[in-house]
Amino acid sequence: MLRPLKKLIGFAVHAHKFRHTFATEYLKRVGNRASAQVLGHTSYAMVMRYVHLDRGDLARDFDLRTPF
């Protein structure tokens, strides 16, 4: 399924990368531990192996949750 996509867009697409992207975006938008269940993991620690947040993500989260 991904080989025709590679020809169309001109670079390789890896299925597992979609899992990492989904985990990161799900955590950014929903922001709770249900992501472990959605991804089929038994621990939140395993989910964090898939999530890739940057400093901007962390700063936005801090600003949203800081009371002052």
Side-chain angles (χ1 to χ4, degrees):
M1 184 172 102
L2 296 177
R3 285 187 186 131
L5 184 58
K6 177 183 176 181
K7 287 182 179 182
L8 180 68
I9 62 176
F11 57 89
V13 179
H14 304 280
H16 202 70
K17 182 71 172 172
F18 287 112
R19 187 170 176 83
H20 286 264
T21 302
F22 174 81
T24 301
E25 293 303 317
Y26 186 88
L27 195 62
K28 281 183 189 179
R29 288 174 168 71
V30 179
N32 64 29
R33 293 177 182 252
S35 54
Q37 290 178 323
V38 171
L39 291 168
H41 295 298
T42 56
S43 73
Y44 191 65
M46 189 63 182
V47 171
M48 294 313 295
R49 295 179 76 183
Y50 283 89
V51 174
H52 304 286
L53 299 174
D54 62 25
R55 288 179 188 216
D57 297 324
L58 299 174
R60 278 188 297 281
D61 189 55
F62 180 80
D63 289 343
L64 289 171
R65 298 181 197 311
T66 303
F68 49 89

